[in-house]
Amino acid sequence: MGTAQLTAVPEPKYWHLRTVLLRAIDSEFTTGQVIPNERELSARFGVARATLRQALDQLELEGRLVRRRGIGTLVAAPRVGVPVSRREEGEAWQVVDCATAPASERLAGALGVAPGEAVHTVRRVRVEQGQTVATESLYLAAALLEQVPEIRLSGAPVAEGEELGRAVLRRLERLTVDGESRAVELGVAEAEEAALLQRPPGTPVLVVTTQYAAGGRLAALAVSTYRADTCRLTFGETGLVEVTPVSAVRTAS
Amino acid sequence: MGTAQLTAVPEPKYWHLRTVLLRAIDSEFTTGQVIPNERELSARFGVARATLRQALDQLELEGRLVRRRGIGTLVAAPRVGVPVSRREEGEAWQVVDCATAPASERLAGALGVAPGEAVHTVRRVRVEQGQTVATESLYLAAALLEQVPEIRLSGAPVAEGEELGRAVLRRLERLTVDGESRAVELGVAEAEEAALLQRPPGTPVLVVTTQYAAGGRLAALAVSTYRADTCRLTFGETGLVEVTPVSAVRTAS
DNA sequence: CAGTGGTCTAGACCACCAA
DNA sequence: TGGTGGTCTAGACCACTGT
């Protein structure tokens, strides 16, 4: 990581810095390696620490750097490809807990049920390479579950927690036939999600909303949040070639 | 937007500020309205301007605020749902230009051709409600096009620009049968893309990589970038109910 | 303990826009 | 021209990590 010139250009310093740093981590560093600390880098480039941090913020958002308090700033591993589809979800998800509660105004609207109606909420977490990379809240009207004796659980007080969660998921698996419709957008993790992802609040996440249809009607709703820094969501007929990491192509031409 | 307390809490000031501001814009402001300027807000909340700006940065990332230099900070309109699928793309995209050039090392690898082989690059832009919300670069090996006389253009020097672009797209439409496979991840717009999107460099974008298959083989590659602040990508069998904006549900429970 | 990144401050100047 | 957001500075203190 050579010294710097930072010739006066019309572009902001932090953006120029980002470019310089990006070239450096691509050519002179390898995954997991720590780069020089912020105070040294800012001195070396002759900028304020805040300006340097602005450049590091960008690179962290792009998933190229990971910052660990008390440790340093590391070159991030390439993003992991996470398949987003009902089929192959099974393995990697772990049920955290499950609860049944009356639907709030907004949830009822989104689920297409009456406000106050009982709704099961299953909370799951996806672990990839020993790291929690996604959380999911799955909402399903309790009425749909009650109508199915084979699934209704034994005890008089309805089961709670992981057991009910797994039951709900089993049911959903048999229910869904009409397909799913999805939306992806950018969001930030709030308190609970952030805690599950072991990240500070405000962490950028890719929010995937999935509507499950059955009998031409909305049957369930899932809201999943994936760590934007470490995840690349993959869709579609997984046949074909492995999906090429994008960064390679985008900077090529 | 009432005055503020900012009671001492273990969470960072900027995050607490974000929450307070979010409540305010949800309850006391409407789309397009300008909120008080940064200097006034920072004074009102008793924090430095930089701290306030950190909170506004978060809300802008979430697509809740839009900042315009020289104007002020406005409450953003809800994100527009943008369908991502070959079928219904036709209308909203405009070909910007097209060129044919030898494939770089990395592009060749991603396309599955030999380095240096001629590749058509079609640059498109998607306009939604009068605003450019996405750019796309579509790569297709020139050899695939040459084999099809009906498409080959008349002039001896191969056509360039928009005309060739449209020809490539027409060809691709007839070619693709085996389906597509996609990946979505977070990125930032660099110089060219940022200019097309009429945004500063570093603007967060949702990067969609699409591989088009034909004859069990990779036929074309498209890299699309959508403005993360204004776009919600929608997938799947567009039948069903309209996709519910997520923000409603995520903050509900 | 020393070293790291995370937060916050007070102030300055610039680029842009409308009147 | 006055007001807005965008950039940058120099410094301080805190929270966390390893030794």
Side-chain angles (χ1 to χ4, degrees):
Chain A
M1 195 176 284
T3 46
Q5 276 295 37
L6 234 47
T7 61
V9 279
E11 70 184 359
K13 277 187 188 176
Y14 76 87
W15 184 252
H16 186 234
L17 259 182
R18 168 207 169 265
T19 306
V20 173
L21 291 170
L22 184 53
R23 259 198 296 268
I25 66 182
D26 270 336
S27 62
E28 304 173 32
F29 291 86
T30 63
T31 293
Q33 196 173 354
V34 305
I35 70 175
N37 71 59
E38 298 181 350
R39 287 163 180 90
E40 170 168 350
L41 283 179
S42 57
R44 194 187 298 187
F45 288 106
V47 299
R49 191 177 154 217
T51 303
L52 173 80
R53 279 183 58 80
Q54 220 175 331
L56 296 182
D57 286 343
Q58 288 278 352
L59 292 169
E60 194 180 28
L61 195 69
E62 299 174 57
R64 305 302 303 266
L65 291 178
V66 176
R67 295 196 269 190
R68 297 216 192 123
R69 205 200 298 232
I71 304 288
T73 303
L74 292 70
V75 176
R79 287 187 174 131
V80 291
V82 184
V84 178
S85 74
R86 202 86 203 84
R87 266 65 67 180
E88 48 205 320
E89 267 182 359
E91 326 89 35
W93 290 96
Q94 298 173 8
V95 174
V96 170
D97 93 329
C98 179
T100 307
S104 71
E105 188 92 18
R106 292 195 275 196
L107 178 55
L111 251 183
V113 302
E117 198 172 309
V119 170
H120 295 311
T121 301
V122 183
R123 200 82 150 128
R124 294 195 298 174
V125 145
R126 183 172 185 122
V127 180
E128 207 82 44
Q129 296 166 15
Q131 188 189 236
T132 303
V133 296
T135 74
E136 180 181 274
S137 290
L138 191 147
Y139 305 98
L140 186 140
L144 271 177
L145 214 59
E146 293 297 326
Q147 297 159 3
V148 184
E150 46 167 330
I151 290 300
R152 192 183 309 152
L153 300 170
S154 45
V158 169
E160 280 288 325
E162 299 186 27
E163 194 174 352
L164 176 57
R166 277 190 287 270
V168 170
L169 291 173
R170 273 198 305 270
R171 174 72 188 117
L172 183 62
E173 237 140 65
R174 250 167 288 162
L175 192 68
T176 303
V177 274
D178 303 15
E180 321 152 355
S181 104
R182 287 204 181 74
V184 179
E185 62 186 306
L186 181 60
V188 303
E190 309 217 0
E192 313 156 61
E193 284 166 358
L196 286 173
L197 294 174
Q198 300 164 306
R199 297 253 68 198
T203 298
V205 288
L206 296 172
V207 182
V208 181
T209 311
T210 310
Q211 295 180 316
Y212 297 102
R217 199 177 156 284
L218 180 60
L221 179 69
V223 179
S224 319
T225 61
Y226 296 78
R227 281 183 56 165
D229 55 347
T230 58
C231 292
R232 187 177 69 250
L233 310 183
T234 63
F235 295 84
E237 312 81 27
T238 45
L240 281 216
V241 205
E242 74 290 354
V243 189
T244 318
V246 174
S247 44
V249 180
R250 286 185 73 218
T251 54
S253 175
Chain B
M1 195 175 285
T3 46
Q5 275 296 36
L6 234 47
T7 61
V9 279
E11 73 185 355
K13 277 187 187 177
Y14 76 88
W15 183 252
H16 186 234
L17 259 181
R18 168 207 169 264
T19 306
V20 172
L21 290 170
L22 184 54
R23 258 198 296 269
I25 66 182
D26 270 337
S27 61
E28 304 172 32
F29 292 85
T30 62
T31 293
Q33 196 173 353
V34 305
I35 71 175
N37 70 59
E38 298 181 350
R39 287 164 180 89
E40 169 167 350
L41 283 178
S42 57
R44 193 186 301 187
F45 288 106
V47 300
R49 192 176 153 219
T51 302
L52 174 80
R53 279 182 59 80
Q54 220 175 331
L56 296 182
D57 286 344
Q58 287 278 352
L59 292 169
E60 193 180 28
L61 195 70
E62 299 175 58
R64 305 302 304 265
L65 291 178
V66 176
R67 293 195 271 190
R68 297 217 193 122
R69 208 202 295 233
I71 303 288
T73 302
L74 293 68
V75 176
R79 287 187 174 132
V80 291
V82 183
V84 177
S85 74
R86 201 87 204 86
R87 266 65 68 180
E88 48 204 320
E89 267 182 359
E91 327 89 34
W93 290 96
Q94 298 173 8
V95 173
V96 170
D97 93 329
C98 179
T100 306
S104 71
E105 188 92 20
R106 290 195 276 195
L107 177 55
L111 251 183
V113 302
E117 197 172 311
V119 169
H120 296 310
T121 301
V122 183
R123 199 83 150 126
R124 294 194 299 174
V125 144
R126 184 173 185 120
V127 180
E128 208 80 45
Q129 297 167 15
Q131 187 188 237
T132 302
V133 296
T135 74
E136 179 182 275
S137 291
L138 192 147
Y139 305 97
L140 187 140
L144 271 177
L145 213 59
E146 294 296 325
Q147 298 158 1
V148 184
E150 46 168 330
I151 290 299
R152 195 184 305 152
L153 301 169
S154 44
V158 169
E160 281 288 326
E162 300 186 26
E163 195 173 352
L164 176 56
R166 276 189 289 270
V168 170
L169 291 174
R170 273 197 305 270
R171 174 71 188 116
L172 183 62
E173 237 139 66
R174 249 167 288 162
L175 192 68
T176 303
V177 274
D178 303 15
E180 320 151 354
S181 104
R182 286 204 180 75
V184 178
E185 63 185 307
L186 180 61
V188 303
E190 309 216 359
E192 313 156 61
E193 284 166 359
L196 286 173
L197 294 174
Q198 300 165 307
R199 297 253 68 198
T203 300
V205 288
L206 297 170
V207 182
V208 181
T209 311
T210 309
Q211 295 180 316
Y212 297 101
R217 199 177 156 285
L218 181 60
L221 179 69
V223 179
S224 319
T225 60
Y226 296 79
R227 280 183 56 167
D229 55 346
T230 57
C231 290
R232 187 177 68 249
L233 309 183
T234 64
F235 295 83
E237 311 83 26
T238 44
L240 281 215
V241 205
E242 75 290 353
V243 188
T244 318
V246 174
S247 44
V249 181
R250 285 184 73 219
T251 54
S253 173

